[in-house]
Each structure stands twice: as structure tokens, then as C-alpha cells.
Amino acid sequence: MAGKKSKSGAAKKGAKGSGGALKERLGVIGAGVIGSALVRGGIDAGLLHPSRVWAATKSEESRREAAKELGVSVLTDYDSELARTDVVLICVKPAQMSQVLATLKSKGLRRDALVISVAAGVTIERMGRELGGSQPLVRAMTNTPCVIRQGITALAAGATAQSKHMTLAHRLFGAVGRCIDLEERLLDAYTGLAGSGPAYLYLIIEALADGGVNVGIPRKTALEVVAQTVLGSARMVQESGRSPAALKDDVTTPAGCTIGGLLKLEEGNLRSVLAQAVAEATRIASKLG
Ligand SMILES: NC(=O)c1ccc[n+]([C@@H]2O[C@H](COP(=O)([O-])OP(=O)(O)OC[C@H]3O[C@@H](n4cnc5c(N)ncnc54)[C@H](OP(=O)(O)O)[C@@H]3O)[C@@H](O)[C@H]2O)c1
């Protein structure tokens, strides 16, 4: 559960999902990396009031740990909460989904309660089938930078979800980063790109730091320099409105060092290897549900 202990603070209070605290009562089933980040981020953003949030884990050990960390009621048996819960956010692994959906169905989930799932590969159609009826459903895919409220989440609405449900989902995930709407058919691809994306970038950061060490820069300094270079470059793409290709050309002096380095990357097929990584992760994501 890497990242579970990280504290938020990167985003300004109320900057995302502004409009006051939610009046709805929220239950978060699964208080691991993602579930905990959403509870903590929502509280930090002023969106969630701890008295209107409960969370659930499977084991007593995780329950104790999450209760201490999150400061909300954390349960292993949440049946009695369901009748007064307006929004259920499911943050368990795909393999646990059937069990959770069966519990919700048989233990009194309100028919008007909004159910949001972040489980990779689990379709809205399957959730609707297993829950039965016309439950409002939203499927989300986020990524681990939501732990520091710098995630990016894609949301797809089920046929029974109304605009008020999507507004609520946007507020919840907006509290931990950026949020976009995406057709559900693209969510597995999104998982391969953005859900898995942080891991690709950590590998690239590690590899570039190795490169720095190889040319004599101490490891700690190399890592600090690379992390800030990645952060700054990403902000340039977001804020300049220019394409990465144009920004790259700015760095590339004729007969200079950068073009030499870039040609080595092309020789190693970096561009094609990254595209293949996204395609493979997308293929696997489509089988998880
Ligand atoms: N991690 C990522 O990078 C990432 C990114 C995007 C989306 N996701 C999606 O987010 C979901 C959660 O991932 P995660 O990384 O947060 O997982 P995680 O850290 O393993 O957390 C899973 C949580 O679910 C709880 N749980 C399991 N079965 C349960 C049950 N029957 N009832 C109640 N709670 C139960 C676990 O409790 P115990 O500890 O007691 O077992 C744990 O608190 C996955 O579906 C994944 O596809 C993950």
C-alpha cells in the first residue's frame, strides 16, 4: 500500500470541488491507497465532514490503521449504515467487487443512492446487473497522485445517473486533482495511460537519475534535479498551450548536446516502447473485470 501514509497539502483548500461541504452521507468501501486518499483529500479540501463519512475495510487490522489515519468511522461490517448512506464509493480491487456488490444488494443499499466505483475493468453494465434495478452508477478511474491531491480522474456516467450525480462525482474527485468526463468504452485505455502512468514515469525518473549518476552527479542530487525537471516540463505543457514537439525544439540547438541525447532515445525506440506499454496495460485492464 505504497503512498497510504502520505499527507496531502499540494492543492489549495477549496480550489477544487468548491461550493461548501457535501450534505450527502458518504460510505467508502475499501480504505486502501485510493479510498484513503479520497477521504483524506475530501476532508482537507473542506468537501467532506468527518461526521458524514464512513469507510470500510475487510480486516480488523486495516480497520484500526485506517480509523487512526483518517479520523472517520471505519467498519468491517457496514450493513447498518447503508439505509442512511447517499453515496457509496467502492474502492476495492476488481476481484472483491462481486462480494461487495452482493453485500450492497442484500443489506439495504438505498435504490436512490449513487454508487461510484474505481475498480479497473469492472463495467457499469456488470455493476447494474449485480446490483439489480436502476441504481444510479458512475464508473471512475483515477491515479495515485490523488494521494497528494494531484491526481487525474476520468468519470463515465451510467444510463441511470443524472447530471446531479455527475456533479457530485466531479466534486468528490475534483478534491484530489483534475477530473474529466470520458466515454466508458475508453476507460480501459485510460487505465493503461493514466492509471498505470505514474509507474511509467517513476521508472523514467529512476532511469534518468541513473543517467545522472553515470556522469558523476550524486544520487540524491540527481533525483531532486530529475523530479523537478519532470514537474517543470509537465507544467510547461499544461501552461504554455504549445505542443511537446515545439517545446522540445526550443531545447534543441543545432549540433548541440540535446539533439545528440534525443537521437539516442530514438535509437532505443523510447517512443514506440512507451506506446506499447500503454497498449499492453490497456489489454490487461480490459480483462480485470
Ligand atoms: N492503486 C492504483 O494505482 C489505482 C489507480 C486507479 C484505480 N485503482 C483501483 O482502485 C481500487 C482500489 O485499489 P487500491 O490500490 O486502493 O487497493 P488497496 O490499497 O489494496 O485497498 C483495497 C481496500 O479494500 C478493502 N477491502 C477488500 N475487500 C473488501 C470488502 N469485501 N469489504 C470492504 N473492504 C474491502 C481492503 O481492506 P483490507 O486491507 O482489510 O483487505 C483495503 O482497505 C482497485 O479496484 C483499483 O483497480 C487503483
Side-chain angles (χ1 to χ4, degrees):
M1 294 196 186
K4 198 173 171 184
K5 296 269 183 266
S6 308
K7 296 291 173 205
S8 65
K12 292 265 186 300
K13 194 169 180 172
K16 293 274 183 179
S18 57
L22 287 187
K23 299 200 175 27
E24 288 81 356
R25 196 168 161 78
L26 172 74
V28 180
I29 303 180
V33 175
I34 302 294
S36 293
L38 284 160
V39 171
R40 202 187 310 113
I43 291 172
D44 286 354
L47 182 72
L48 300 177
H49 193 279
S51 68
R52 287 196 289 278
V53 179
W54 58 266
T57 63
K58 193 167 190 182
S59 66
E60 175 56 24
E61 190 189 352
S62 296
R63 191 203 67 75
R64 267 200 306 271
E65 202 183 318
K68 200 165 132 197
E69 187 199 342
L70 299 175
V72 303
S73 167
V74 185
L75 313 154
T76 51
D77 178 348
Y78 49 88
D79 300 359
S80 61
E81 290 291 334
L82 291 175
R84 58 193 190 115
T85 299
D86 307 295
V87 183
V88 174
L89 185 53
I90 309 179
C91 299
V92 301
K93 296 286 188 193
Q96 263 95 51
M97 278 298 279
S98 281
Q99 192 192 336
V100 169
L101 293 172
T103 303
L104 291 175
K105 186 180 178 186
S106 63
K107 302 292 181 186
L109 173 73
R110 287 208 331 254
R111 302 317 298 176
D112 65 337
L114 169 62
V115 176
I116 306 173
S117 159
V118 301
V122 180
T123 62
I124 292 173
E125 188 279 326
R126 179 182 149 193
M127 287 193 284
R129 188 165 21 90
E130 294 190 26
L131 283 173
S134 55
Q135 203 75 41
L137 299 171
V138 170
R139 188 175 153 200
M141 178 47 61
T142 188
N143 60 14
T144 53
C146 71
V147 167
I148 56 159
R149 299 175 62 197
Q150 294 293 330
I152 177 147
T153 303
L155 295 173
T160 50
Q162 301 165 16
S163 64
K164 67 175 182 185
H165 298 123
M166 283 302 273
T167 302
L168 215 153
H170 268 276
R171 291 192 67 196
L172 275 173
F173 287 93
V176 292
R178 293 179 183 224
C179 204
I180 61 167
D181 289 325
L182 201 66
E183 289 174 59
E184 193 192 12
R185 67 180 180 85
L186 294 175
L187 275 189
D188 292 334
Y190 183 89
T191 304
L193 181 64
S196 306
Y200 310 151
L201 289 164
Y202 297 138
L203 185 69
I204 289 170
I205 289 170
E206 185 190 19
L208 282 173
D210 279 346
V213 172
N214 187 43
V215 291
I217 298 175
R219 164 86 47 198
K220 194 164 172 264
T221 307
L223 207 51
E224 185 187 344
V225 167
V226 172
Q228 181 57 34
T229 303
V230 169
L231 195 61
S233 306
R235 293 294 294 268
M236 285 287 279
V237 172
Q238 284 182 329
E239 291 176 19
S240 69
R242 299 173 66 217
S243 73
L247 292 166
K248 170 173 68 70
D249 288 351
D250 287 350
V251 193
T252 314
T253 313
C257 52
T258 306
I259 189 65
L262 285 169
L263 290 176
K264 282 286 171 196
L265 292 177
E266 297 289 6
E267 229 177 88
N269 284 328
L270 181 74
R271 191 187 294 267
S272 158
V273 164
L274 287 174
Q276 286 174 51
V278 174
E280 178 66 0
T282 300
R283 188 187 67 74
I284 296 169
S286 71
K287 295 189 185 312
L288 288 177

